[in-house]
Amino acid sequence: MFLPVRRELYEEASERVMAVLRSLVPQVEVLGWDEAFLGVDAEDPEAVARQVQQAVRQATAPDCTVGIGRNRLQAKLATGFGKPGIFRITGATWFEVLGDKPVDALWGIGSKTAKKLGQEGISTVSQLAAADPEQLARRFGPMTGPWLVRLAQGRDSATVGTPWVARSRSREITFQQDLADWDQVRREVAELARRVADDVAAEDLPAARVVVKVRYAPFTTQTHGQALPAPTSDAEALESAALVALESFPPGRPVRLLGVRAEFAT
């Protein structure tokens, strides 16, 4: 049995989750629809993790797993042990948790690299952590060889990305039944534009351009934009620009999805 992919629903849910995370901590590095790193400096990280879980559950209903570590590597791997709750890996517990695991249990080591390491007599995380970096440098290269050893030792110099800065605000609606009445399409776009205007005002950043997205039944998607005469957060100006952009779409075809995005002035 094959089920259709509802990409727009995944994106909408992901945006809600990431918005919740950004409201809790200033540093959020998004990895995909359902995963992100949080840069947190707290005496009780488990308490922060519980706060994150509660906030995400209230906003979206599904539960989330939180992995805690002193770096991204530890936190990433901790999520695999915490499902569906909270798990923490530290330097003191690293080998207790991962020492006997195969090397491809490490984030960044795939099956091909694991096979090559096996040819060197290295099959577990502990063995890789104790390996000679110079020996691995000769096999894997001067950068990759030592990096593999550091990886197995639980060391990661990468930090969570810089604080997120909003570049736009958007709203979308997917209709359960295709919308064939284009007068209704215009009303829906106007309503979306007003909701986006509220979001823009909350950001306290003026918008310079409005983009309208139309997905015709079944899956054809088009976008058209309209520049604003001057950066603004005025609701009437954003609504007017959205309706002007809508005029660029051929009318008459049934509509599955509508979206309005306001892009901030840079």
Side-chain angles (χ1 to χ4, degrees):
M1 181 175 66
F2 295 91
L3 298 176
V5 176
R6 302 294 298 276
R7 180 185 179 91
E8 65 276 5
L9 296 182
Y10 300 151
E11 290 177 341
E12 181 181 352
S14 176
E15 288 178 1
R16 290 202 303 271
V17 171
M18 299 310 163
V20 169
L21 298 181
R22 292 175 184 123
S23 71
L24 297 174
V25 298
Q27 289 185 302
V28 178
E29 180 181 343
V30 179
L31 293 187
W33 281 340
D34 62 349
E35 193 170 14
F37 286 118
L38 309 184
V40 177
D41 184 7
E43 293 184 0
D44 188 355
E46 279 83 0
V48 177
R50 290 190 291 272
Q51 181 184 7
V52 168
Q53 286 185 319
Q54 182 179 9
V56 170
R57 186 183 301 115
Q58 289 176 346
T60 64
D63 290 322
C64 67
T65 298
V66 181
I68 302 172
R70 292 186 63 85
N71 54 47
R72 298 193 321 161
L73 172 64
Q74 293 178 3
K76 168 70 173 178
L77 294 176
T79 59
F81 294 93
K83 295 179 180 180
I86 298 170
F87 195 86
R88 185 177 185 180
I89 294 179
T90 67
T93 63
W94 175 261
F95 290 109
E96 177 185 343
V97 175
L98 288 156
D100 295 331
K101 299 293 184 183
V103 291
D104 57 3
L106 295 171
W107 184 37
I109 296 183
S111 58
K112 291 183 179 179
T113 301
K115 182 177 180 179
K116 291 180 180 179
L117 287 169
Q119 294 169 353
E120 299 292 322
I122 299 171
S123 60
T124 68
V125 172
S126 290
Q127 289 173 339
L128 180 56
D132 182 357
E134 293 185 2
Q135 178 184 345
L136 293 186
R138 289 191 291 270
R139 177 66 190 272
F140 294 94
M143 298 295 292
T144 301
W147 170 76
L148 290 170
V149 176
R150 292 195 302 272
L151 194 69
Q153 293 172 348
R155 294 189 289 155
D156 182 7
S157 60
T159 58
V160 176
T162 56
W164 177 80
V165 177
R167 293 180 173 83
S168 65
R169 275 288 177 258
S170 64
R171 294 277 184 165
E172 291 187 355
I173 181 171
T174 301
F175 302 103
Q176 295 300 315
Q177 295 182 341
D178 297 339
L179 200 62
D181 182 352
W182 269 69
D183 287 335
Q184 182 63 29
V185 169
R186 294 182 183 89
R187 288 192 292 270
E188 294 289 349
V189 167
E191 174 60 25
L192 286 171
R194 287 191 290 269
R195 293 169 62 190
V196 168
D198 290 339
D199 297 337
V200 170
E203 288 287 345
D204 197 24
L205 292 171
R209 186 168 180 263
V210 175
V211 178
V212 173
K213 177 166 71 172
V214 174
R215 178 167 298 152
Y216 297 105
F219 295 114
T220 303
T221 303
Q222 296 181 13
T223 61
H224 290 286
Q226 177 66 28
L228 293 161
T232 182
S233 58
D234 180 72
E236 291 186 5
L238 268 63
E239 178 183 342
S240 177
L243 292 175
V244 170
L246 184 64
E247 294 177 0
S248 299
F249 293 89
R253 296 174 58 185
V255 171
R256 175 70 53 86
L257 174 147
L258 290 171
V260 174
R261 181 175 76 248
E263 298 176 347
F264 296 132
T266 56

